[in-house]
Structure formats: structure tokens, C-alpha cells
Amino acid sequence: MAEKAKIAILISGRGSNMAALVYAAKSPDCPFEIVLVASNNHDAPGLTLARAEGIATCAHPHKGRSREAHDAVMHEAIVEAGAEYVILAGYMRILSDGFVKKWSDHMLNIHPSLLPKYKGLDTYQRAIEAGDSFAGCSVHLVTAELDDGPVLAQTEVAILPDDDADSLASRILIAEHQLYPRALAQYVTREFDPDWILEQVRNRALALEETHERASFGAPGWRVGSETTGKYFAYFSQSHLGEAGIALLVKTTGLDEQAALIDADPERYYAPKFYGKSGWIAIRLDQGRTDWEHIAEWLFKSWCQVAPKRLTRLIAIADQF
Ligand code: GAR
């Protein structure tokens, strides 16, 4: 199994979601480990539990500090603990833009509603008053807007005829405890999920000029040019035609470049058998910590190799400026 993702959990109070994450992390096959539980409140009951479970904790009260200064202290503690992800679990503080930016795509929150419905407070009462038949909870990425980032996972919870805010909240909390560890596990292992990897390649391939997707021998592929005369510049290989693992196939400038790449990094590059001595190179995408900027550059270089002159000419002209 790949190295476990290192998680810092931020709490303000009870910490029952934190406890759910702590117990989930005890399973040997859980893909995350908790390296810190931090709070803005010395007396947060969750801290006592975390300590008893042998987890490092810290508390930095926000009183007397500006939002930015407080976030900076929290950030420092999180980095020092070696965390790669920040997990908000009942952390009742608005975060500064700077902090959100630093943890962009690496900070998750749980919210007791089916977002985008009922951001903010009193979510249960608002769902009941609206006459909804379902309430629920959402795990989402944290962005600058409150409770607004992309939703990663949700659980619906039926509203019963005699529910009040408290009875509904207690059932939603059960759903939260199930949802958060599962959503977090999925998120930190996304780099190994074939569907997620394919989506990353697809978005970057289709962002290039005049491209479309067409399967080739059952594998997704991307072509540049028209539907009739277009040429392939990339293929996605998922254990395709007997090759191991997941890889992107792109066109190098020729056999010399292909050989040099394999020589320099034989773990990541290989010559795809099916394409013989044509200069195509396979780049493994299932080893974690893929540099997606680099993959986008490869797609572009390969696109340049086969794109019609009228398209590449424009790029050559732009390059002169
Ligand atoms: C949870 O219900 C969580 O969804 C909510 O606070 C509670 C914390 O409970 N969070 C928010 O409302 C964030 N907007 P816990 O401390 O027992 O995990």
C-alpha cells in the first residue's frame, strides 16, 4: 500500500466527527493517518479524546489575534506536524483567504445539509421549515466562499413527520460519521483511481485546440483535426493489450528521445509494445504524485507533432513574441 496521507483535523468543540476519523484511521488499510488535532479553543472536549488516543494536539485561541495572525499560527502548527491535508470537523471559524489559498485542493469540510442548500447555520430547522422530505450532510473542498466548494460526497437523511431540529441533527450526525472517513479515504487515494486519472488526462487533452476523443482498440484516445482526417496524439492505457498499470501514451520526437527518457526514469517511462519502433512513449500515471503540469506539457508536445500546419503555424508565430 502507498504511504498514508497525513491529516490535521481542526475542531472547535465536541469533536465527534474527529472521533469518527480517529477510529477509522485505526484500521490498518485506512489510507490516512492523523498527525495533529488542532483547535481554536483550549477547552474543546475533542482535544481530551485525541490526547487519550495518543494523537498530538494543540490549541491556539483566536482571541486577541487578527484572523490572518491566528490562521498563520494554525498553519505553522499544521506544517510542523507534517500534514498534507487539513480536515475541518466542526471548526467554527471563518478562514482567511490566505489560509484557504495555501491549502487549496487539500482542505475538506463537512456540513450538515445537502449543499448547495442551506449554507451557514440552522440547517436542520431550515430544511424542516422548507418542507423538504430529505436533509443530509455533505463533504466538500474548502474555497474562499463559505460552504461553497465542490461537493465530494453526500448522504441523504429522511426527515420524519415529527422531527425537530435536534432529532434531525442527531440522525444527520450518524450519517456524518459514516460519510467523512469514507469521503476522505476516497479523496486521498484519488491519484490511484483509474476514473479520476482518466478525467485528468481527458480535461487536459480536450483543452488543446481542435481535439476530440475517440476510442482506439477499446482504449480512450485523443485526436487533433477534423472527425474524418484527425490524427491521434494521445492514448490512455489501462492494462491495455497486456501492458501493466495505467499510462498515457504520447508521441516523442523519435527513437532517440524515447530511449533517453526510459534511460533517465525507467520506473515512469516505457516503450509501449503495440506501437513498436514508432517513437511513442508510455508515461505511468498510477504511481502517485503525478506532475499534472508536466503531463499537460507532454500532451501539448505530442499534439504539436501531429496537428495540422495551420494550427502549429500560429503557435510558432506566437512563440516568436
Ligand atoms: C457537525 O454537525 C458538522 O457538520 C457541523 O458542526 C458539527 C460538529 O460536530 N459543521 C458545520 O456546521 C460547519 N458549517 P462535531 O464537533 O461533533 O464533529
Side-chain angles (χ1 to χ4, degrees):
M1 193 171 125
E3 223 177 282
K4 290 182 186 245
K6 295 183 172 53
I7 304 297
I9 304 176
L10 269 49
I11 61 170
S12 291
R14 181 175 56 181
S16 73
N17 274 291
M18 175 218 71
L21 292 164
V22 166
Y23 301 137
K26 288 191 178 197
S27 162
D29 58 1
C30 180
F32 57 81
E33 62 179 312
I34 295 150
V35 295
L36 179 71
V37 173
S39 182
N40 58 323
N41 171 13
H42 272 299
D43 305 322
L47 289 176
T48 313
L49 183 139
R51 269 182 225 120
E53 293 291 353
I55 297 167
T57 63
C58 68
H60 296 292
H62 55 271
K63 270 223 169 90
R65 287 188 172 114
S66 71
R67 192 172 300 287
E68 284 71 22
H70 180 252
D71 283 355
V73 173
M74 295 297 267
H75 176 76
E76 208 168 294
I78 295 164
V79 170
E80 206 152 284
E84 301 159 280
Y85 293 90
V86 174
I87 303 306
L88 308 180
Y91 188 61
M92 297 316 218
R93 296 270 307 153
I94 305 261
L95 298 164
S96 60
D97 287 354
F99 186 86
V100 172
K101 222 173 256 155
K102 279 189 199 126
W103 292 98
S104 158
D105 286 332
H106 287 77
M107 179 152 56
L108 276 59
N109 181 40
I110 190 155
H111 182 75
S113 80
L114 296 173
L115 290 172
K117 278 185 156 180
Y118 315 127
K119 297 172 181 177
L121 298 173
D122 298 327
T123 57
Y124 320 104
Q125 193 58 37
R126 285 154 71 200
I128 292 169
E129 277 169 15
D132 293 354
S133 38
F134 284 92
C137 49
S138 310
V139 171
H140 66 97
L141 287 174
V142 177
T143 53
E145 286 296 305
L146 182 70
D147 299 330
D148 193 57
V151 171
L152 300 175
Q154 290 184 315
T155 303
E156 288 186 348
V157 174
I159 300 181
L160 304 181
D162 53 358
D163 258 338
D164 59 20
D166 286 345
S167 62
L168 179 58
S170 63
R171 278 201 319 289
I172 290 180
L173 195 61
I174 298 172
E176 290 186 35
H177 296 165
Q178 305 280 324
L179 182 68
Y180 215 175
R182 185 157 41 84
L184 178 57
Q186 228 168 47
Y187 191 70
V188 302
T189 54
R190 67 200 183 288
E191 277 216 300
F192 304 97
D193 171 3
D195 292 338
W196 185 85
I197 297 172
L198 172 58
E199 203 50 30
Q200 303 309 304
V201 174
R202 175 177 286 138
N203 291 341
R204 287 162 178 82
L206 294 178
L208 296 167
E209 200 86 7
E210 272 190 45
T211 53
H212 57 272
E213 182 165 336
R214 181 167 312 168
S216 164
F217 295 96
W222 294 274
R223 305 182 350 145
V224 52
S226 74
E227 287 282 344
T228 45
T229 60
K231 289 193 177 139
Y232 280 100
F233 65 96
Y235 300 99
F236 184 78
S237 167
Q238 185 181 344
S239 308
H240 194 235
L241 304 168
E243 302 275 22
I246 299 174
L248 170 68
L249 274 54
V250 284
K251 224 169 149 57
T252 62
T253 50
L255 291 180
D256 287 348
E257 189 184 12
Q258 187 203 53
L261 288 163
I262 298 168
D263 224 33
D265 192 351
E267 299 276 291
R268 200 163 283 272
Y269 295 100
Y270 67 89
K273 285 191 207 87
F274 187 67
Y275 294 90
K277 296 199 180 310
S278 57
W280 283 81
I281 190 89
I283 311 169
R284 289 288 290 266
L285 300 175
D286 54 358
Q287 297 178 320
R289 297 192 161 78
T290 297
D291 180 347
W292 288 104
E293 295 265 319
H294 189 227
I295 296 300
E297 280 164 25
W298 260 120
L299 286 164
F300 176 63
K301 280 197 280 183
S302 189
W303 177 94
C304 287
Q305 297 270 337
V306 296
K309 284 274 171 304
R310 69 186 159 78
L311 293 177
T312 50
R313 209 178 309 132
L314 290 177
I315 287 159
I317 291 167
D319 276 351
Q320 289 173 5
F321 294 94

